[in-house]
Amino acid sequence: MTTVVHHAGSAFSLARKVRGFVRRVPVWTWRLLMRIVGASERARFNREPLTEVDYVHDINYVGDSHPAHQLDVLTPALDRRDGRAGEGKSLPVFVYFHGGGWTSGDKAALTKYCANQAVGGMVVVNVNYRQPPRFHMGHVLQDANAALAWVSANIQDYGGDPECVVLGGDSAGGQIAALLTAATFRPELASHYSLQPAVDGRHLKGLVQHCSVVDFSVFFESGFVLSLNFVRMLLPSAGTAGGRIRGRIFTRKALEGLKAEAGFVSPIEWLNAQFPPVFLTTSERDFFYKANVNFIDRLQEHAVPVDALIYLWANANTEHTWQQDYRYPESQEVYRRLHAFVRSVSQRPTTQIPHHT
């Protein structure tokens, strides 16, 4: 089901005109911008913390001393108090990866977003991970998979059901969640990253995508907002050394090679009929709007159930990753739909899906 939300208003706002001048933002500029807005973003998104939720912060899910290997667990406080979780009525588990262009961001900015999902009747796991350009996509997926291994081994202690897991994320975090989902069902992709999926495909019930980077073909289109070095820094063969990306000019041969390699970080290239149901939210104001529309079309080609919520440009509150800001009515609608999605997929019968070894 795809819902396109119309709203009265001008489609020719100043923001739309200004965006036309923003093209090919380099990696270093993005990182500087994210560093500047990071603290204020965390404060703005986390005002008036929800008291209906229990919070456990900064659990090291690998068992090492790396500061990126931390996650938070948020649970509905009522379920912890009345003993329902202890009576075999475990809750669905929603594992979330934050965005930030892969190079930036932190789980702390998503605390209230995750709390809003916990009050909807689920255990939420909010995950940090190592970031490029010092690390590449192989490292990121290893971390995401390690977080799922921790969930499988420990989430019952928090009232969660390890056999009812939904993955999700926004922007780059959505790409991580989608690519890890694909690796669960596509052995050749898992092999490419030397991954042994930590969650049985039968227990992966759904995927949530907010303004996600799910189709890397858009990076190669003329005038796209982010530079091609965002793609190159994710690849093990990208020519990174000491965290620095070498070179800015792409020859035609190098460009074709980069397109081919980008297929291994582009979730849309790895869909099949085994994919779990997807809940996707985007808007015409989203930098990755076209990528998300392409993803919906490809999911439908594979007969994968998809529930999409799309806002048009006139909805001023729907800039890229608006879902994090709980104050917007558009965000509240996302939360309502997300809760319904998780309830629905958690009740779906388990299908026999081969779990590769």
Side-chain angles (χ1 to χ4, degrees):
M1 176 179 66
T2 299
T3 303
V4 179
V5 180
H6 300 265
H7 186 276
S10 171
F12 300 100
S13 67
L14 177 62
R16 191 171 202 175
K17 295 177 182 178
V18 170
R19 182 171 297 185
F21 296 101
V22 181
R23 292 292 183 268
R24 294 299 184 191
V25 175
V27 173
W28 73 267
T29 303
W30 176 269
R31 295 181 71 191
L32 178 61
L33 178 63
M34 291 299 101
R35 181 171 296 180
I36 292 171
V37 304
S40 62
E41 183 180 80
R42 285 193 293 272
R44 178 164 58 92
F45 290 164
N46 290 324
R47 289 173 184 159
E48 301 175 357
L50 298 181
T51 58
E52 309 96 307
V53 174
D54 287 338
Y55 303 82
V56 180
H57 293 287
D58 299 332
I59 300 170
N60 189 294
Y61 59 85
V62 173
D64 60 9
S65 59
H66 201 291
H69 290 152
Q70 293 185 339
L71 57 79
D72 303 337
V73 180
L74 295 79
T75 58
L78 182 61
D79 283 284
R80 296 292 298 280
R81 286 198 300 265
D82 67 11
R84 279 185 285 164
E87 296 175 358
K89 298 180 181 179
S90 298
L91 298 175
V93 181
F94 183 36
V95 181
Y96 198 80
F97 301 95
H98 68 80
W102 300 281
T103 68
S104 312
D106 185 271
K107 61 183 173 61
L110 277 299
T111 299
K112 188 158 185 178
Y113 165 88
C114 290
N116 273 292
Q117 312 325 317
V119 297
M122 62 193 84
V123 174
V124 183
V125 180
N126 188 13
V127 183
N128 268 352
Y129 48 87
R130 289 174 292 177
Q131 297 175 345
R134 184 178 179 185
F135 300 98
H136 56 68
M137 184 51 62
H139 300 119
V140 176
L141 286 182
Q142 288 169 15
D143 289 354
N145 196 50
L148 290 191
W150 183 93
V151 167
S152 294
N154 298 282
I155 206 63
Q156 284 183 308
D157 296 339
Y158 299 85
D161 183 353
E163 297 186 359
C164 185
V165 177
V166 175
L167 301 187
D170 60 273
S171 194
Q175 181 264 349
I176 295 166
L179 199 63
L180 189 60
T181 299
T184 302
F185 299 101
R186 297 294 297 270
E188 60 271 45
L189 181 61
S191 177
H192 178 81
Y193 288 107
S194 300
L195 281 184
Q196 176 59 49
V199 171
D200 191 308
R202 293 170 296 184
H203 303 157
L204 196 55
K205 301 296 187 178
L207 175 67
V208 173
Q209 298 283 278
H210 297 321
C211 301
S212 294
V213 193
V214 281
D215 179 7
F216 275 67
S217 70
V218 298
F219 280 90
F220 297 90
E221 296 180 353
S222 176
F224 185 67
V225 66
L226 300 179
S227 78
L228 286 172
N229 273 332
F230 277 88
V231 181
R232 191 163 71 164
M233 74 176 180
L234 298 177
L235 306 173
S237 59
T240 59
R244 299 176 63 86
I245 299 175
R246 297 199 299 264
R248 295 182 180 179
I249 300 175
F250 291 88
T251 65
R252 179 176 297 181
K253 182 177 179 181
L255 189 62
E256 291 304 314
L258 186 64
K259 285 182 179 179
E261 289 187 88
F264 285 100
V265 295
S266 186
I268 198 172
E269 304 299 335
W270 299 94
L271 299 179
N272 62 21
Q274 292 180 328
F275 232 70
V278 176
F279 173 54
L280 183 151
T281 64
T282 187
S283 83
E284 288 185 330
R285 290 174 175 261
D286 177 16
F287 300 126
F288 295 100
Y289 171 72
K290 183 176 180 180
N292 281 255
V293 171
N294 292 345
F295 196 64
I296 293 169
D297 290 342
R298 195 73 62 85
L299 287 166
Q300 292 174 339
E301 289 177 9
H302 289 285
V304 175
V306 56
D307 180 9
L309 176 60
I310 301 174
Y311 284 94
L312 300 185
W313 184 272
N315 290 85
N317 294 334
T318 60
E319 296 289 342
H320 183 64
T321 67
W322 86 87
Q323 301 91 340
Q324 299 176 15
D325 197 325
Y326 66 96
R327 300 171 302 170
Y328 297 149
E330 292 86 352
S331 297
Q332 295 297 324
E333 176 64 10
V334 169
Y335 303 166
R336 185 187 71 79
R337 293 274 290 266
L338 194 157
H339 298 167
F341 173 79
V342 172
R343 286 195 299 269
S344 174
V345 299
S346 65
Q347 295 167 3
R348 289 170 63 93
T350 299
T351 58
Q352 293 300 312
I353 302 171
H355 182 58
H356 55 273
T357 59

